[in-house]
Amino acid sequence: VPRVPVPVEAGDGATYTALLTHGEQVDVLERLDFVLRNISELRKEVEELRTSLQHLAAEIVGEVRSHLEETQKVTRRRRFPFPRERSDSTGSSSIYFTASSATANTDDGESEGGYTTANAESDYDRESERESEEGEDEVSCETVRTARRDSLDLVNEDETHLILDSSLEEGLGQLLQQADSLHNGDEQEKREGFQLLLNNKLAYADQKDFLWRLARAHSDMCEITEDADEKRSYASDGKEEIEIALQKWDQSAECHQWYAILCGQLSEHESIQKRIQTGYVFKEHIDKAIELKPEDPKSYYLLGRWCYQVSHLGWLEKKTASALFEAPPTATVQDALQNFLRVEELSPGFSKAGRVYIAKCYRDLGNNSAAVLWMNLASELPVNTKEDAESERELEEMRSAWEE
């Protein structure tokens, strides 16, 4: 900034002084540099937003195209409502269907609509295969109940049914108790719990308390594994399991809770649009879980985390949410703090991570004394999970920042 002479007194004897002092010039330069940096960052964010919106447009076009293609397939299938008579030919040139209705397509060995064809295959062979598959299913089901049936005496049919139900119920209770114990253990025990539930899925797949625990085990495996593809696979499979449970038991707080958790885990591998959409689904199911079971501290902890993350959304995420939804998600640090304090009220020392979040909320609100208090309280709790380990590192960073 050049020095501009400014007259101090009028007349021929006027003296001149600099418009800005050296310190003021440095301050102006720093402010200009700050403005330039912010303009550069804003340009990058605008570019990211443009790219995200392009991806969103491509996804919408892809979904519309897939819907149109599926509609056309259904239309083509409806053109052939009558079952085709099966051929009696068993020669090498005979082609017939494994389904009762469709039209032949000899180009790829598949018929239109996805029905497979076969060459030199007789009706007897096909029926034999079907009987073999049914036999295998019966054997699989039978092996699950073998131990129970061997212990039964010769009684009438009604008594046998009651004994079987009682035995299954007793076995389910023991299984769920063991699964809960393994879930609260280390990584190896979580793996054992996951395998235990998979091994018993055939016997208890129609039980609500079994299904949400199976979904929980998928969530455990998602946290344990380090491979991104495996994480996505476990989260996706677990979400499918809990969706089945929700169709039957919409009034189960645990089903809503673990559906929200698995949706959140799966969204970590999605685009920013998917993550924002999942945020609405997550909030909806956590609210439902709290409504159904208002004394569960875990639901309040999850809601507190959601509020804290929403309150710290970046500029790009806020703009994307505004572009996609009429009412973007809103929450404050105070909202998050109230939920975390509710967790401590219901279950003091529920988790190390929860107390670290309370300290962070107080820090963000400017209450440093309360933040230090909750940091010390968090230090008293052991590290039991991977999330606790991450919270421990955050505690060290917060202490270092205060010391500086």
Side-chain angles (χ1 to χ4, degrees):
V1 178
R3 298 195 176 203
V4 179
V6 178
V8 177
E9 296 180 0
D12 296 336
T15 60
Y16 294 85
T17 182
L19 180 63
L20 297 176
T21 64
H22 178 71
E24 291 173 336
Q25 294 178 30
V26 173
D27 183 62
V28 170
L29 289 174
E30 289 178 351
R31 291 177 180 273
L32 288 174
D33 183 60
F34 176 77
V35 171
L36 290 174
R37 286 200 307 269
N38 278 272
I39 291 175
S40 178
E41 292 178 0
L42 180 61
R43 185 182 294 111
K44 292 180 181 179
E45 291 180 345
V46 170
E47 184 62 29
E48 291 178 0
L49 177 60
R50 182 184 295 109
T51 303
S52 299
L53 293 177
Q54 290 175 350
H55 291 165
L56 175 62
E59 290 180 5
I60 294 175
V61 172
E63 291 177 359
V64 172
R65 183 180 294 112
S66 299
H67 178 71
L68 291 175
E69 292 176 353
E70 184 63 25
T71 303
Q72 292 173 356
K73 289 181 180 179
V74 172
T75 302
R76 289 197 297 268
R77 290 172 188 167
R78 289 176 178 174
R79 294 175 184 173
F80 307 97
F82 303 106
R84 189 186 72 87
E85 295 184 359
R86 297 178 62 172
S87 171
D88 294 332
S89 172
T90 58
S92 59
S93 61
S94 65
I95 299 178
Y96 54 86
F97 292 91
T98 60
S100 60
S101 64
T103 56
N105 181 358
T106 59
D107 293 340
D108 300 321
E110 287 190 0
S111 66
E112 187 175 9
Y115 296 99
T116 58
T117 58
N119 294 329
E121 196 174 14
S122 66
D123 290 348
Y124 174 80
D125 292 335
R126 180 55 54 87
E127 295 298 331
S128 299
E129 289 178 3
R130 184 180 297 107
E131 291 174 0
S132 176
E133 292 174 356
E134 293 174 353
E136 289 175 0
D137 291 339
E138 293 175 358
V139 170
S140 299
C141 295
E142 191 66 25
T143 55
V144 177
R145 297 186 292 268
T146 299
R148 299 188 179 95
R149 288 186 174 179
D150 290 341
S151 62
L152 297 178
D153 295 327
L154 295 176
V155 293
N156 61 51
E157 183 176 353
D158 293 337
E159 292 177 349
T160 301
H161 181 71
L162 292 175
I163 294 174
L164 282 172
D165 287 346
S166 176
S167 179
L168 285 170
E169 184 176 353
E170 181 181 356
L172 176 61
Q174 295 175 354
L175 174 66
L176 299 183
Q177 184 177 2
Q178 186 178 1
D180 290 341
S181 177
L182 293 171
H183 165 71
N184 294 322
D186 56 23
E187 291 187 0
Q188 180 58 34
E189 289 175 317
K190 291 181 187 294
R191 291 189 177 92
E192 293 175 3
F194 175 71
Q195 192 60 48
L196 173 69
L197 292 171
L198 282 184
N199 293 342
N200 288 273
K201 181 179 178 181
L202 184 62
Y204 301 110
D206 59 343
Q207 299 294 321
K208 175 192 66 177
D209 292 333
F210 175 87
L211 278 180
W212 73 254
R213 283 175 171 84
L214 179 59
R216 181 184 67 182
H218 278 86
S219 175
D220 289 341
M221 295 301 295
C222 180
E223 290 184 357
I224 292 172
T225 184
E226 299 295 337
D227 184 77
D229 291 336
E230 290 184 4
K231 283 181 176 291
R232 182 197 296 268
S233 178
Y234 282 125
S236 177
D237 292 346
K239 182 183 175 184
E240 291 179 3
E241 297 288 356
I242 203 65
E243 281 176 344
I244 296 174
L246 276 175
Q247 291 175 2
K248 297 181 179 180
W249 303 286
D250 183 56
Q251 298 302 306
S252 167
E254 291 81 7
C255 288
H256 285 283
Q257 185 183 91
W258 285 103
Y259 182 80
I261 292 173
L262 285 159
C263 284
Q265 289 177 321
L266 187 60
S267 70
E268 294 176 1
H269 309 279
E270 304 289 350
S271 64
I272 185 173
Q273 295 92 343
K274 293 287 186 181
R275 291 199 302 270
I276 293 173
Q277 291 172 349
T278 301
Y280 287 90
V281 177
F282 183 95
K283 176 69 160 50
E284 175 187 352
H285 285 274
I286 289 299
D287 286 343
K288 185 66 175 179
I290 291 176
E291 177 187 341
L292 295 171
K293 196 173 182 180
E295 302 302 316
D296 186 356
K298 187 175 183 66
S299 293
Y300 289 98
Y301 170 75
L302 293 170
L303 182 56
R305 286 194 56 178
W306 183 88
C307 291
Y308 191 83
Q309 292 175 359
V310 169
S311 68
H312 287 75
L313 285 177
W315 179 88
L316 175 61
E317 292 168 318
K318 290 180 180 178
K319 291 298 181 183
T320 304
S322 299
L324 294 175
F325 305 98
E326 294 182 359
T330 57
T332 64
V333 175
Q334 187 65 42
D335 296 332
L337 178 60
Q338 290 177 358
N339 284 289
F340 289 128
L341 291 176
R342 178 62 173 159
V343 173
E344 285 292 321
E345 179 184 343
L346 293 171
S347 178
F350 176 76
S351 73
K352 188 183 191 74
R355 289 186 171 180
V356 172
Y357 269 109
I358 293 177
K360 291 164 65 176
C361 287
Y362 277 122
R363 178 200 61 189
D364 295 345
L365 294 172
N367 192 339
N368 292 337
S369 59
V372 172
L373 171 63
W374 282 98
M375 286 172 59
N376 295 332
L377 291 173
S379 301
E380 297 174 358
L381 298 179
V383 176
N384 295 323
T385 64
K386 185 179 294 186
E387 187 177 32
D388 288 342
E390 295 175 356
S391 299
E392 183 70 23
R393 288 192 292 270
E394 289 183 340
L395 273 177
E396 296 299 328
E397 293 175 358
M398 291 171 68
R399 289 195 183 96
S400 299
W402 255 302
E403 290 175 359
E404 293 176 359

